[in-house]
Each structure stands twice: as structure tokens, then as C-alpha cells.
Amino acid sequence: MAEKSARGRGESEKIREPSILIRPINRMGGLDNIHVALLALVAILVILLLLVSYYRPALPTNSTQTTTVYSNSTYSPVHTPAQIKTISEQLLASYAQTNSSLSVLPYYANVSAMSVSYIPSSSDWYVQIPSVSPSGNSTFYISAIISDKNGSVVTPFIQLAKPPVISKNTVVAPGVINLAGKPSCISSNPLNIYWFIDAYAPGSVQSLRNITSLESNYGSKVNVSVKILYGSSTAQIADQVGTLNAQELGKYILCSSTQPNFPRFVSVLNSIYNNDYISQNTLQSISSTSGLNQTALNTCISNANGPINAQMLLAQYYNITSNPSIIVNCEYQAIPQTVNKAICYAKGSIC
């Protein structure tokens, strides 16, 4: 018995009840260092997320909006999209007066597809216009930045070539410039078209073919008159052969344009013209081959200085700086490649 009781006491000593340890709450709320570090990391991530959401870069707003809520602030542009478009059309038209290769830029830009966007972060307007290459094989975009504060040009369409003066002229349609302050012709029936050329300027003689094409297409609905300028190209020829000899080509073109056989004269002239000086003997041969009235032609040539001087004054009135340049209905300017667009814009009923 004693042995059995002793064995029972030994077994009871080996079996013990589980003990529960309860730690006292400390200043970290009972959390250990790992949990505290995790909570701190979550807090930092939340703060970074808020910073990114509140300070993300500004994006241009839609051009149809005049008030934009951004970053808990309200931006109210000074100018409307319509006003910015007008400023952009004036900037674009100003390139026509640069007397450089950029002068054709306004005639290939599609202002009807112009997009205007407001940039709240800088208080500027971003303008983008699709343009067609002169060859017509590709499309490219020109862009400018206009200040909303005063409507000034921050970045022109061609960043390294800003027009010296921003004119009041505007590009009103693809290939058509509206001349500010120039009223329409007194009579628009037929539609008056002034064809300004410096005879020896590149493309001038070739452009005469467009005149015969217009007269063939529109007939008596248009009245095309050639205007001769003695510009820098004729001056270069004059340095080689003398002023009187250099001016003969312009006189022959002017005087032959008043005769019915002018299309024939243009065809023969283009067949032999190689962008170089043409002598008076050659011009006489061309006029004879073309079937022109020689008596009327010679009389016109001998008295051509007066009309040409008046035409040069007219070119100054229209601020013609590059040629060939065409004035349609006394108020729209175009180039030979876009003259049809100007005709249709000025008087759509004949197109």
C-alpha cells in the first residue's frame, strides 16, 4: 500500500496544469517592435500617396472649358478659346510677310482643325494645327504657346523664327488669308483677281499657267489681271544685263496678258524658259509664234512703265513681300496653289 501511494504521488508531481502568462500593458499598447514598425510603414505609404495625388503635374484642359477645377483651386482663364484662335490665326498669317521660305506656311495649315488647350499650371494656352506638306504627301503639326495673361506669343509656330511683327491679318480658311482693313472690291461680278509677280522670281512664269486654267474653269465669272513687280529677282538679272533689258520680260508678260492669245504666249514661254535671262529678240520670237497682235503689243510695251509703277504702289498697299501672290476680291490673299480655295471662300456661288 505504502509503495502504491508513493508511486501515485510521483505521478501527480509530474502532471502540472498549463500556466497563462499575462504581460502588463506598456506604453506601446501591448504591441511589440515589429508591429510598431509595420504601422509606421503603412503611415508613410499613405502620406506618399496623398502627396502624389495632390501634387501631380498639371495637364492641359479641354478647349471648350473656360473654368477648370484643379488641385482644389479654380482657374478662370482671361481669354476664351475663340480669342486664342484669333491670336493664333494672326500669328500664322504673319509668316506670309517674312519674305522667306516660311511665307508659304499659312497656306498649308488647316486652321479649321485647330485645337486649343488651357494649361492651368503656367496660365498659358497650347495651340496645335495640322498642316499639309507642299507636296501633299504628308501631314505634320505646328504648335504654339500663347500667354493667357496678355495674349502675347510665348512660343511661335516655328520656335527659331518668330515673325518680326504680328499682323492683324488672319488665316480664315486653308490657303486663304484675310487682309485686315482691306475692303472688298466695289464690284464682285466678275470676281477680281490680281496676280502679282516678279517675272524672274522662282515660280512666277510657271504660275501663269494657273491663270489660263482659272479662265478656262470660271470663264467670265472671274477677271484675272497680271500685276508686274520689279523685285529682287529682276534686280539680280539687271546686275548682269542692265535694268532696261531685265525689265523686258515683265513688260511682255503684262502686255500679252491683255490679248486673247495670252494662253498661247504662256505655253510657248514656259516651253523655253529655264529660270534665266530671256533676250528681247527671243521675246519677240515668242510673241510672234503665239500669234499676238504685234502693233498693239509694241505700243503697250513702249508705255508700260506708267502702269507698272502704279502696280508696284498697289503691291505696297497690299504689303506684297513674296511672289507670286494673288489678291482675290481685294481682301483675300492666296498663292497659285490655293487660289481656287480663295475664290470659293470669297464667292462660293461660282464654285
Side-chain angles (χ1 to χ4, degrees):
M1 279 303 279
E3 183 179 350
K4 183 183 291 187
S5 62
R7 189 169 54 248
R9 286 196 303 270
E11 291 176 355
S12 63
E13 289 177 356
K14 292 178 181 180
I15 300 173
R16 297 185 179 185
E17 296 291 333
S19 60
I20 300 175
L21 299 178
I22 301 176
R23 292 185 179 182
I25 298 175
N26 56 21
R27 61 180 181 178
M28 292 187 294
L31 301 175
D32 56 20
N33 291 336
I34 295 177
H35 287 84
V36 171
L38 289 174
L39 288 176
L41 179 60
V42 171
I44 292 173
L45 291 175
V46 171
I47 293 173
L48 289 175
L49 180 62
L50 291 174
L51 289 174
V52 170
S53 64
Y54 276 92
Y55 295 97
R56 62 185 182 275
L59 298 175
T61 63
N62 192 291
S63 62
T64 59
Q65 297 176 343
T66 55
T67 301
T68 303
V69 178
Y70 179 77
S71 298
N72 297 330
S73 300
T74 300
Y75 291 83
S76 298
V78 177
H79 295 80
T80 66
Q83 291 172 329
I84 295 300
K85 286 184 178 181
T86 298
I87 294 173
S88 301
E89 290 167 353
Q90 292 175 340
L91 170 62
L92 186 59
S94 300
Y95 282 97
Q97 300 174 2
T98 58
N99 195 21
S100 68
S101 59
L102 295 177
S103 63
V104 299
L105 182 64
Y107 301 106
Y108 292 98
N110 185 4
V111 291
S112 60
M114 181 191 309
S115 64
V116 177
S117 302
Y118 181 55
I119 309 175
S121 61
S122 60
S123 297
D124 292 325
W125 290 86
Y126 178 74
V127 180
Q128 189 177 60
I129 305 177
S131 300
V132 180
S133 65
S135 63
N137 295 328
S138 61
T139 300
F140 61 96
Y141 288 85
I142 55 176
S143 59
I145 296 179
I146 309 296
S147 171
D148 182 58
K149 297 177 182 178
N150 53 20
S152 61
V153 178
V154 177
T155 304
F157 287 111
I158 305 299
Q159 295 187 12
L160 299 179
K162 181 179 179 180
V165 178
I166 306 301
S167 71
K168 296 298 182 182
N169 300 339
T170 55
V171 179
V172 293
V176 185
I177 295 177
N178 178 238
L179 301 175
K182 302 297 187 290
S184 59
C185 295
I186 297 175
S187 174
S188 61
N189 190 21
L191 192 67
N192 287 294
I193 301 174
Y194 303 151
W195 205 278
F196 289 94
I197 64 170
D198 177 348
Y200 282 105
S204 287
V205 169
Q206 293 85 345
S207 76
L208 298 177
R209 291 174 173 173
N210 295 69
I211 296 179
T212 60
S213 177
L214 289 179
E215 292 175 336
S216 175
N217 292 336
Y218 297 102
S220 60
K221 296 177 182 178
V222 298
N223 178 30
V224 184
S225 56
V226 176
K227 309 294 182 184
I228 298 299
L229 306 176
Y230 293 144
S232 58
S233 296
T234 295
Q236 291 177 0
I237 299 297
D239 291 339
Q240 303 172 20
V241 299
T243 300
L244 295 179
N245 290 330
Q247 293 177 351
E248 285 297 306
L249 176 58
K251 293 178 180 180
Y252 267 84
I253 292 175
L254 174 65
C255 293
S256 63
S257 68
T258 63
Q259 296 197 25
N261 281 354
F262 179 60
R264 176 62 179 164
F265 174 85
V266 170
S267 178
V268 177
L269 174 62
N270 271 280
S271 68
I272 67 170
Y273 183 65
N274 60 357
N275 298 310
D276 203 355
Y277 171 66
I278 298 182
S279 68
Q280 185 174 5
N281 289 336
T282 302
L283 289 170
Q284 287 178 342
S285 176
I286 293 173
S287 64
S288 177
T289 303
S290 304
L292 297 181
N293 184 319
Q294 294 299 308
T295 302
L297 179 68
N298 292 333
T299 301
C300 176
I301 290 174
S302 63
N303 296 289
N305 286 335
I308 290 177
N309 289 337
Q311 292 167 9
M312 294 185 68
L313 290 176
L314 186 64
Q316 292 179 13
Y317 170 76
Y318 287 114
N319 197 25
I320 302 295
T321 56
S322 61
N323 56 84
S325 289
I326 297 95
I327 304 297
V328 176
N329 200 35
C330 302
E331 59 180 338
Y332 300 111
Q333 187 170 349
I335 56 178
Q337 295 85 343
T338 66
V339 64
N340 276 294
K341 295 179 179 179
I343 290 173
C344 294
Y345 188 87
K347 194 173 183 180
S349 61
I350 66 174
C351 292

